[in-house]
C-alpha cells in the first residue's frame, strides 16, 4: 500500500494519493513510514501492518468463472451452424434429428469445459508451487521471509540476482544496478543512487527507488519499502490491464489460423454441395442441412483446444518426473532449444568445494593435507586471512558438529581452517570487522578491514590471483615481508597457471598490517594497496554424476552446450575437456577480458561456435545469452544461484536446478528441475519435443479424417450417387472419431529416436505444405474405399438406408483405425526399435469401436441414426473398407533414414 503524510511513529501509515517518495528527503521518508534503518521493524509491528494492509501480492487476474467457461463453449461459429441445423430440422418436422444435433452440441461443450477447466487448474497450481522470498532487516537481524509478508517500512536487503519484493526507497547502496526492462522497457541495467530527486522526475529516471518485480543485476544495497501489492508500480500496470489471463501460446495461435482457413475452405465446399444438391432435386432445406452438418462435422471445432489439452497433459507427465513447468509456452520452447547454457558451479559441478592444494608464498604447490602437516607463520597468516575475509557462518547441528552456512567456496576455506585447529569464533572475536568490500563485476576480489588485538588494523584480501597480485608489493618469506621482483611475479603467475590447469578454482590470499599510529583508512582504494602475498589455494568442485552422458546426449540431439562460468580460462578449459563439451574436438573459449572492450553490437559474433565463456559476471552472462539469441538461436539457460537469475530471465527458457533455493532463482525460471539432477534436463527437452510432436499427430489425425468426410459427401453429391451420410450420422461420426483417439494420441510416449535428431526451427509451422499433401492423400485413400463400400451397397440394396449404413460403418471404422497410422510420420527400418506401446491409444480405439458398434446392438439408437441390419457378407466389405486404407497409408509413409 502507499502511505499518507500524517503518520505517527510506530503507527500504521494511512493511504494517500500518488507517491512522491523519490522527491522527499530520506529522513522524511523514514518518519512517514515509521521505519528505522538501524533496527528495522519489530516482528509485532510487521505483523500488525500485514494485517492492516494485506499480503504483498498482486491481485490475481480476473479468471473465467465456471459459468463463463461453460457459456464460452457455445460461442463459436461451428456451434452456431449446428444450432441453425437443429432449428431447420425442427422446422421441417425432424425433431429427433434436432434433438441429436443439440445433444452433440452439449456433449462437445461438456468435453471442452472439462478439458479447459482442467488446464486452467494446472496452470494455477503451477504458479502456486513456488513462493518468492525476500531478505529483510527486522529486530536488528537479517531474515528471509515470504515476499507476501513484506510490509511498508520493512528494510529490504538487496543483493545481485535477487528479485525486488516491493517498491522501496534506497537507504544506501554500493554499485547497485537493476534490470528494469519488465517495468520501463529499458534493456540496459540501471545504476541506482540514494540521492533525493525532483518531484516531476519520470518513472524510468527515479534512480533512488527500486521497484517490485525488477531484478538486481549487480552490487548491493538497502531500501525501505514504500509500497506493496497493488499499490506498487507493477500493481498499477496490472490494475490497468485487469483482463482475463489468456492461456494462448504461439502454437495455439497457429491452430487458430488453421481453423479459420479450414472454415473458409469448408464453407466454399458446402456452398457447392448445397447448390449441386438443390440442382439435383434434393430439396432446399434438405440440401441446406447436409451442407451445414458437413461443415460442422468436417471442421474440428476443438482444434485450438487440442494444444492446451496436450500441453497440459505433457506438463502432468513432466511433474511425475520431477520437472516443474511454470508456463505452457515453456513446453513449446523446450522442443526448439538449439543452445543450452550451463553454469559451471552447482550445475555442471556439485557445488561442494574443498581445498585440494595450497601454494604458500615461500613453498611449492602441495596437497592441502601436506600443507596442514607443516605449520608455520605463513600458513598461520594464510588461514587467519581465509577465516576473516569470509562471510560464511559457523553453526552447530543437533549432534554438535560444525554446520557451515555460506557459499561453497567460503565454506571450503573455513573447513580448511577448522582442519588445522583454528578456533573460528575466537579468531573473529579478536579481529572485529570494521569494513567489508564485496566482489564486484569489475573487481574480482573481496576485502575486509579489521581491528587488531594489539592495536592498529589488518586488511585481508582474497580473489582473482591476477588482480590480487597487482595490489601486492611484497610476499611473505618466513615471517617477514620481502619485496616482489618481476621474476617473483612471473613465478607466482606460473603457479597460478599450474593449479588452474588441474581444473582447480584458484584464489589468491594477501594481507596488510596497519600500524597503530597510522589510523584505519576506510577507503578500499587506499587500504587494498601495498598488500603482502600469502599464497594460493586451489579448490575443486567435482563434476556432477551424469554430466558427461548429458553432454553426449545434447550432441546427439543437435544442441550446442555452452559453459558459462566465473572461473578463469584454464580452469574452465580443464572442466570442458573432462566432460567433452565440444563436439568439434578443440574448445573455443572467450573470457570477460575479451568482452570488456566490445560494445553490444560487437558481441553478436561471439554467439557463434563458442564453447566456454570464462571469468563471466552476472551481467556478462546476460550479455552472453543475448549474443546467442542475436544469432537467431533458441537459448536455454540452466543455473542454480542468484548470479544466474539475469540470464535465466533473459533466456528463451530458463531452467533452475532444485538446489537453487536462493532468493529470486525460482521466481524467474520457466522450468524447475526438482530432483536437482542435471540429467533430468535432457528428459525435459525430450518431453518438450514429444509434446509438440503429439500435438502434430492429433492435428494430423483430426484434419485427415475430417477431410475424408468432405470428400465422401462432396464426391457422392457431385456425381449424383445420392446421400451416403445423413446429418445425424456425420455428427455421430465426428463425436466418435475425434475425441477418444485424439486423446490417445496426445498421450503417445516419446519416440526412442526423439533425441537423435536436431531441434525443429522455432518458426516452423505446425502444419507444413507437405503435411497438407500427406493428409489429403490419406483422406483420399480412406474416402475411396468408403465410396467403394457405398457403391457395393448401392449395387446390392439400391439407394437407401442399407447402402448408407455400409458407408457409415466403413468410414467410421477406417477413421478410428487411422489413429495408429498417425503415430509416426515415417516407416521404421527393420533394424530400428519399434515404437513404444501406447496403451491409452489402444483403449481409446477399442472404446471408439465399441461405441460405433453400439447402434447395431441397440435398435433404438440404430433407428435414430437411420441404420439397418446387414448381412454377414456386408461386414466383410466394411472390414475391408477400414483395414485396406490402414495398410495402404501405413505402407505409403516414407521410410526413416
Amino acid at each position: 500500500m502507499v502511505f499518507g503524510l500524517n503518520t505517527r511513529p510506530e503507527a500504521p501509515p494511512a493511504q494517500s494519493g500518488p507517491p512522491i517518495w523519490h522527491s522527499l528527503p530520506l529522513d522524511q521518508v523514514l518518519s512517514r513510514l515509521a521505519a528505522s534503518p538501524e533496527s528495522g521493524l519489530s516482528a509485532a509491528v510487521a505483523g500488525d501492518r500485514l494485517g492492516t494492509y494485506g499480503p504483498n501480492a498482486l491481485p490475481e487476474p480476473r479468471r473465467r468463472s465456471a459459468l463463463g467457461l461453460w457459456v464460452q463453449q457455445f460461442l463459436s461459429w461451428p456451434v452456431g451452424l449446428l444450432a441453425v441445423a437443429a432449428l431447420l430440422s425442427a422446422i421441417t418436422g425432424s425433431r429427433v434429428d434436432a434433438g441429436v444435433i443439440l445433444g452433440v452440441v452439449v456433449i462437445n461443450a461438456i468435453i471442452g469445459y472439462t478439458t479447459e477447466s482442467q488446464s486452467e487448474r494446472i496452470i494455477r497450481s503451477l504458479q502456486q508451487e513456488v513462493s518468492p522470498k525476500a531478505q529483510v532487516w527486522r529486530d536488528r537481524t537479517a531474515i528471509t521471509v515470504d515476499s507476501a509478508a513484506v510490509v511498508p517500512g520493512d528494510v529490504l536487503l538487496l543483493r545481485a540476482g535477487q528479485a525486488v519484493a516491493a517498491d522501496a526507497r534506497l537507504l544506501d547502496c554500493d554499485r547497485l544496478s537493476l534490470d528494469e526492462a519488465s517495468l520501463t522497457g529499458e534493456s540496459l541495467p540501471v545504476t541506482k543512487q540514494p540521492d533525493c530527486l525532483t518531484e516531476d522526475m519520470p518513472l524510468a529516471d527515479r534512480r533512488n527507488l527500486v521497484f517490485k518485480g525488477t531484478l538486481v543485476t549487480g552490487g548491493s544495497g538497502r531500501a525501505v519499502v514504500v509500497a506493496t501489492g497493488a499499490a506498487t508500480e507493477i500493481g498499477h500496470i496490472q490494475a490497468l490491464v485487469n483482463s482475463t489471463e489468456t492461456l494462448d501460446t504461439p502454437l495455439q495461435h497457429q491452430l487458430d489460423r488453421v481453423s479459420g482457413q479450414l472454415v473458409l475452405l469448408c464453407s466454399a465446399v458446402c456452398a457447392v454441395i448445397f447448390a449441386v444438391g438443390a440442382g439435383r432435386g434434393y430439396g432446399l432445406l434438405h440440401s441446406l442441412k447436409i451442407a451445414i452438418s458437413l461443415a460442422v462435422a468436417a471442421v474440428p471445432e476443438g482444434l485450438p483446444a487440442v494444444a492446451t489439452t496436450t500441453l497440459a497433459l505433457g506438463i502432468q507427465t513432466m511433474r511425475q518426473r520431477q520437472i516443474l513447468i511454470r508456463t505452457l509456452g515453456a513446453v513449446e520452447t523446450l522442443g526448439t532449444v538449439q543452445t543450452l547454457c550451463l553454469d559451471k558451479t552447482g550445475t555442471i559441478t556439485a557445488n561442494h568445494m574443498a581445498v585440494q592444494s595450497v601454494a604458500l608464498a615461500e613453498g611449492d604447490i602441495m596437497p592441502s593435507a601436506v600443507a596442514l602437516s607443516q605449520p608455520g607463520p605463513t600458513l598461520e597468516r594464510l588461514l587467519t586471512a581465509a577465516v576473516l575475509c569470509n562471510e560464511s557462518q559457523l553453526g552447530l547441528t543437533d549432534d554438535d558438529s560444525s554446520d557451515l552456512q555460506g557459499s561453497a567456496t567460503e565454506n571450503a576455506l573455513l573447513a580448511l581452517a577448522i582442519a588445522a585447529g583454528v578456533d573460528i569464533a575466537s579468531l573473529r572475536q579478536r579481529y572485529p570487522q570494521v569494513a567489508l568490500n564485496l566482489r564486484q563485476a569489475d573487481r574480482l576480489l573481496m576485502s575486509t578491514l579489521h581491528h587488531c588485538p594489539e592495536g592498529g588494523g589488518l586488511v585481508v584480501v582474497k580473489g582473482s590471483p591476477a588482480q590480487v597480485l597487482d595490489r601486492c608489493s611484497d610476499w611473505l618469506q618466513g615471517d617477514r615481508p620481502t619485496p616482489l621482483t618481476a621474476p617473483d611475479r612471473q613465478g607466482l603467475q606460473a603457479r597460478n597457471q599450474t593449479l588452474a590447469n588441474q581444473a582447480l578454482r584458484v584464489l589468491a590470499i594477501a594481507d596488510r598490517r596497519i600500524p597503530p599510529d597510522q589510523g584505519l583508512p576506510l577507503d578500499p582504494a587506499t587500504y587494498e594497496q601495498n598488500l603482502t602475498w600469502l599464497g594460493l589455494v586451489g579448490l575443486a568442485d567435482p563434476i556432477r554424476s551424469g554430466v558427461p552422458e548429458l553432454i553426449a546426449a545434447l550432441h546427439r540431439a543437435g544442441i550446442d552446450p555452452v559453459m558459462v562460468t566465473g572461473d578463469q580460462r584454464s580452469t574452465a578449459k580443464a572442466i570442458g575437456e573432462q566432460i567433452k563439451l565440444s563436439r568439434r574436438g578443440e574448445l573455443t573459449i572467450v573470457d570477460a577480458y575479451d568482452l570488456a572492450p566490445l560494445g553490444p553490437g560487437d558481441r553478436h559474433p561471439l554467439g557463434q561456435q563458442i564453447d566456454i565463456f570464462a571469468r563471466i559476471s552476472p551481467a556478462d552472462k546476460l550479455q552472453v545469452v543475448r549474443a546467442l539469441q542475436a544469432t537467431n538461436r533458441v537459448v536455454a539457460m540452466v543455473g542454480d544461484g542468484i548470479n544466474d537469475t539475469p540470464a535465466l530471465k533473459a533466456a528463451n527458457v530458463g531452467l533452475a536446478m532444485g538446489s537453487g533455493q536462493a532468493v529470486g532463482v525460482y521466481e524467474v525460471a520457466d522450468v524447475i528441475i526438482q530432483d536437482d539432477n542435471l540429467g533430468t534436463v535432457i528428459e525435459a527437452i525430450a518431453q518438450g519435443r514429444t509434446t509438440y510432436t503429439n500435438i502434430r499427430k492429433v492435428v494430423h489425425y483430426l484434419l485427415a479424417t475430417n477431410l475424408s468426410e468432405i470428400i465422401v459427401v462432396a464426391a457422392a453429391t457431385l456425381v449424383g450417387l445420392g446421400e451416403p451420410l445423413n446429418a445425424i450420422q456425420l455428427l455421430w461420426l465426428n463425436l466418435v472419431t475425434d475425441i477418444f483417439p485424439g486423446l490417445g494420441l496426445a498421450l503417445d510416449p516419446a519416440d526412442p529416436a526423439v533425441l537423435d535428431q536436431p531441434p525443429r526451427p522455432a518458426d516452423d509451422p505446425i502444419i507444413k505444405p507437405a503435411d497438407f499433401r500427406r493428409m489429403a492423400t490419406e483422406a483420399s485413400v480412406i474416402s475411396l474405399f468408403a465410396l467403394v463400400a457405398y457403391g457395393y451397397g448401392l449395387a446390392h440394396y439400391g439407394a437407401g438406408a442399407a447402402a448408407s449404413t455400409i458407408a457409415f460403418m466403413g468410414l467410421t471404422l477406417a477413421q478410428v483405425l487411422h489413429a495408429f497410422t498417425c503415430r509416426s510420420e515415417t516407416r521404421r527400418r527393420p533394424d530400428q526399435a519399434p515404437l513404444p506401446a501406447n496403451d491409452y491409444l489402444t483403449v481409446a480405439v477399442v472404446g471408439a469401436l465399441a461405441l460405433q458398434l453400439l447402434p447395431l446392438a441397440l435398435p433404438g439408437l440404430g433407428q435414430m441414426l437411420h441404420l439397418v441390419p446387414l448381412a454377414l457378407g456386408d461386414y466383410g466389405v466394411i472390414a475391408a473398407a477400414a483395414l485396406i486404407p490402414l495398410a495402404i497409408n501405413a505402407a505409403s509413409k516414407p521410410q526413416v533414414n
Side-chain angles (χ1 to χ4, degrees):
M1 301 297 172
V2 179
F3 307 115
L5 308 180
N6 300 316
T7 302
R8 296 187 304 272
E10 294 302 328
Q15 297 186 45
S16 76
I20 54 172
W21 299 107
H22 62 281
S23 63
L24 293 176
L26 192 55
D27 57 345
Q28 291 187 31
V29 172
L30 296 172
S31 175
R32 296 182 183 192
L33 293 170
S36 169
E38 291 76 23
S39 61
L41 297 180
S42 66
V45 170
D48 289 343
R49 294 190 181 183
L50 184 62
T52 301
Y53 300 107
N56 173 34
L58 298 177
E60 287 198 10
R62 223 174 29 233
R63 301 185 185 278
R64 291 180 291 182
S65 66
L67 178 60
L69 187 59
W70 171 252
V71 171
Q72 190 174 5
Q73 306 305 314
F74 300 93
L75 302 179
S76 67
W77 283 111
V79 173
L81 289 175
L82 277 176
V84 171
L87 178 62
L88 292 174
S89 297
I91 292 174
T92 56
S94 303
R95 295 186 177 180
V96 174
D97 290 4
V100 171
I101 293 172
L102 293 177
V104 169
V105 171
V106 173
I107 291 174
N108 278 331
I110 292 173
I111 295 169
Y113 173 82
T114 302
T115 55
E116 289 193 43
S117 59
Q118 175 66 14
S119 297
E120 289 203 354
R121 281 196 297 271
I122 290 174
I123 297 303
R124 283 198 296 269
S125 68
L126 294 179
Q127 295 172 345
Q128 295 167 359
E129 288 275 354
V130 178
S131 176
K133 303 293 184 182
Q135 288 185 315
V136 298
W137 184 257
R138 289 183 183 171
D139 291 319
R140 301 183 182 275
T141 304
I143 63 173
T144 300
V145 300
D146 287 339
S147 177
V150 172
V151 298
D154 259 328
V155 175
L156 294 178
L157 305 180
L158 305 173
R159 296 290 184 270
Q162 294 181 356
V164 179
D167 288 4
R169 171 71 182 270
L170 279 176
L171 297 170
D172 50 58
C173 62
D174 181 14
R175 305 184 190 187
L176 182 66
S177 62
L178 281 85
D179 177 2
E180 296 183 345
S182 60
L183 185 65
T184 66
E186 174 60 55
S187 60
L188 297 177
V190 178
T191 301
K192 294 292 183 176
Q193 49 84 24
D195 297 339
C196 188
L197 303 172
T198 60
E199 186 172 341
D200 59 352
M201 189 66 66
L203 177 67
D205 295 330
R206 295 177 187 174
R207 301 302 173 91
N208 59 5
L209 294 179
V210 294
F211 302 103
K212 180 178 176 65
T214 59
L215 196 67
V216 181
T217 58
S220 60
R222 297 185 306 152
V224 59
V225 174
V226 299
T228 60
T232 60
E233 292 295 337
I234 198 170
H236 295 156
I237 294 174
Q238 181 158 328
L240 290 174
V241 176
N242 195 23
S243 59
T244 302
E245 183 175 288
T246 177
L247 299 179
D248 284 354
T249 68
L251 179 60
Q252 291 169 308
H253 288 303
Q254 285 193 50
L255 294 179
D256 281 335
R257 289 196 300 270
V258 171
S259 294
Q261 294 167 356
L262 289 175
V263 167
L264 293 176
L265 173 64
C266 292
S267 298
V269 173
C270 291
V272 172
I273 290 177
F274 171 75
V276 172
R280 292 184 179 277
Y282 291 162
L284 293 178
L285 288 179
H286 184 65
S287 299
L288 182 60
K289 284 197 299 182
I290 293 177
I292 293 176
S293 300
L294 176 60
V296 176
V299 177
E301 57 269 19
L303 189 59
V306 167
T308 301
T309 302
T310 308
L311 288 170
L313 292 172
I315 286 174
Q316 287 181 316
T317 301
M318 291 191 189
R319 293 177 89 179
Q320 295 170 1
R321 300 179 182 178
Q322 300 297 303
I323 304 168
L324 175 60
I325 305 293
R326 299 186 66 199
T327 62
L328 284 177
V331 183
E332 291 181 41
T333 309
L334 279 171
T336 64
V337 169
Q338 297 165 310
T339 300
L340 184 68
C341 294
L342 300 163
D343 176 60
K344 183 186 78 69
T345 304
T347 302
I348 292 178
T349 58
N351 200 19
H352 299 303
M353 301 290 288
V355 177
Q356 300 293 320
S357 300
V358 176
L360 298 175
E362 61 183 357
D364 296 326
I365 297 173
M366 64 186 80
S368 58
V370 174
L372 295 182
S373 67
Q374 302 174 8
T378 306
L379 177 63
E380 181 181 349
R381 283 182 65 169
L382 182 141
L383 293 176
T384 298
V387 171
L388 297 180
C389 189
N390 196 311
E391 288 193 290
S392 288
Q393 299 298 316
L394 181 65
L396 293 177
T397 61
D398 294 338
D399 58 0
D400 292 333
S401 60
S402 297
D403 177 27
L404 301 177
Q405 301 172 353
S407 71
T409 298
E410 296 196 327
N411 286 348
L413 294 176
L414 285 192
L416 178 70
I418 291 172
V422 176
D423 187 334
I424 305 294
S426 175
L427 180 62
R428 287 178 168 175
Q429 188 173 13
R430 288 189 293 116
Y431 290 88
Q433 187 180 109
V434 177
L436 167 66
N437 196 15
L438 294 172
R439 179 184 185 272
Q440 301 292 339
D442 58 348
R443 200 185 66 94
L444 304 180
L445 51 84
M446 168 186 174
S447 68
T448 53
L449 178 63
H450 305 264
H451 285 298
C452 289
E454 64 276 11
L458 174 66
V459 178
V460 183
V461 176
K462 77 169 190 294
S464 162
Q467 293 195 17
V468 173
L469 185 58
D470 286 342
R471 290 165 169 77
C472 288
S473 58
D474 304 288
W475 63 335
L476 198 64
Q477 298 292 309
D479 59 353
R480 93 179 39 242
T482 303
L484 277 167
T485 64
D488 295 334
R489 293 179 183 274
Q490 292 176 358
L492 294 177
Q493 292 169 350
R495 289 186 190 179
N496 170 47
Q497 192 62 46
T498 300
L499 289 170
N501 290 342
Q502 299 172 14
L504 298 177
R505 182 177 186 185
V506 186
L507 293 177
I509 298 178
D511 69 9
R512 174 188 171 191
R513 303 282 176 167
I514 300 176
D517 58 348
Q518 289 188 7
L520 296 185
L522 298 180
D523 182 8
T526 300
Y527 66 68
E528 288 180 356
Q529 301 300 324
N530 299 316
L531 303 175
T532 298
W533 179 277
L534 302 179
L536 296 166
V537 292
L539 302 97
D541 185 5
I543 294 173
R544 281 175 176 261
S545 174
V547 169
E549 293 79 7
L550 168 68
I551 299 301
L554 291 173
H555 290 164
R556 290 194 304 272
I559 299 172
D560 294 321
V562 174
M563 184 195 301
V564 185
T565 176
D567 283 331
Q568 53 190 322
R569 179 190 293 255
S570 53
T571 305
K573 180 181 179 182
I575 294 291
E577 289 174 343
Q578 289 182 38
I579 62 177
K580 298 181 179 178
L581 186 67
S582 175
R583 51 180 164 180
R584 300 182 306 278
E586 181 155 352
L587 292 168
T588 305
I589 306 175
V590 168
D591 63 24
Y593 298 107
D594 302 317
L595 291 176
L598 301 179
D602 300 324
R603 296 188 179 192
H604 293 173
L606 294 176
Q608 302 174 0
Q609 303 298 318
I610 304 298
D611 301 301
I612 297 175
F613 290 87
R615 279 298 183 200
I616 296 298
S617 69
D620 286 331
K621 288 183 181 181
L622 178 62
Q623 294 303 320
V624 166
V625 168
R626 287 176 174 167
L628 292 167
Q629 291 170 328
T631 62
N632 296 320
R633 283 195 263 183
V634 178
V635 180
M637 174 73 195
V638 183
D640 72 331
I642 58 175
N643 65 319
D644 301 319
T645 49
L648 285 171
K649 185 176 181 180
N652 297 93
V653 57
L655 299 95
M657 300 301 293
S659 60
Q661 300 291 340
V663 176
V665 177
Y666 283 174
E667 288 93 309
V668 301
D670 303 297
V671 180
I672 298 173
I673 308 300
Q674 293 181 302
D675 63 359
D676 201 26
N677 180 1
L678 192 59
T680 307
V681 171
I682 199 68
E683 291 187 28
I685 293 174
Q687 188 60 45
R689 292 185 178 187
T690 298
T691 301
Y692 180 85
T693 302
N694 287 350
I695 292 174
R696 280 179 49 85
K697 293 175 184 177
V698 176
V699 172
H700 184 122
Y701 171 75
L702 292 177
L703 296 187
T705 54
N706 289 343
L707 183 58
S708 68
E709 300 167 22
I710 296 178
I711 295 174
V712 168
V713 175
T717 303
L718 293 174
V719 176
L721 296 179
E723 185 182 356
L725 301 170
N726 59 44
I728 293 182
Q729 288 172 344
L730 284 169
L731 292 168
W732 174 270
L733 188 152
N734 210 39
L735 180 66
V736 170
T737 61
D738 280 5
I739 300 171
F740 301 112
L743 289 175
L745 285 172
L747 291 167
D748 213 20
D751 188 321
V754 69
L755 291 175
D756 293 335
Q757 49 196 334
R760 63 179 175 85
D763 57 354
D764 213 19
I766 184 71
I767 304 174
K768 307 172 190 175
D771 297 324
F772 277 116
R773 291 193 293 270
R774 179 68 192 169
M775 284 184 272
T777 300
E778 294 172 351
S780 299
V781 172
I782 294 173
S783 302
L784 173 63
F785 284 90
L787 288 170
V788 169
Y790 180 58
Y792 164 86
L794 292 176
H796 285 74
Y797 301 105
S804 179
T805 300
I806 294 174
F808 172 64
M809 297 297 293
L811 180 60
T812 306
L813 296 183
Q815 288 188 357
V816 171
L817 294 177
H818 188 62
F820 290 114
T821 304
C822 294
R823 289 196 64 198
S824 174
E825 297 179 6
T826 57
R827 285 183 294 123
R828 306 183 80 78
R829 298 190 311 268
D831 62 334
Q832 196 174 18
L835 289 173
N838 184 348
D839 295 335
Y840 297 105
L841 181 59
T842 302
V843 171
V845 168
V846 171
L849 293 176
L851 192 60
Q852 176 60 19
L853 297 175
L854 192 62
L856 301 179
L858 299 177
L861 182 58
Q863 184 178 3
M864 183 184 69
L865 292 173
H866 306 288
L867 303 180
V868 296
L870 301 172
L872 185 60
D874 299 335
Y875 290 105
V877 174
I878 292 172
L883 295 174
I884 294 176
L886 176 66
I888 292 176
N889 286 330
S892 63
K893 291 191 292 186
Q895 189 173 57
V896 67
N897 295 325

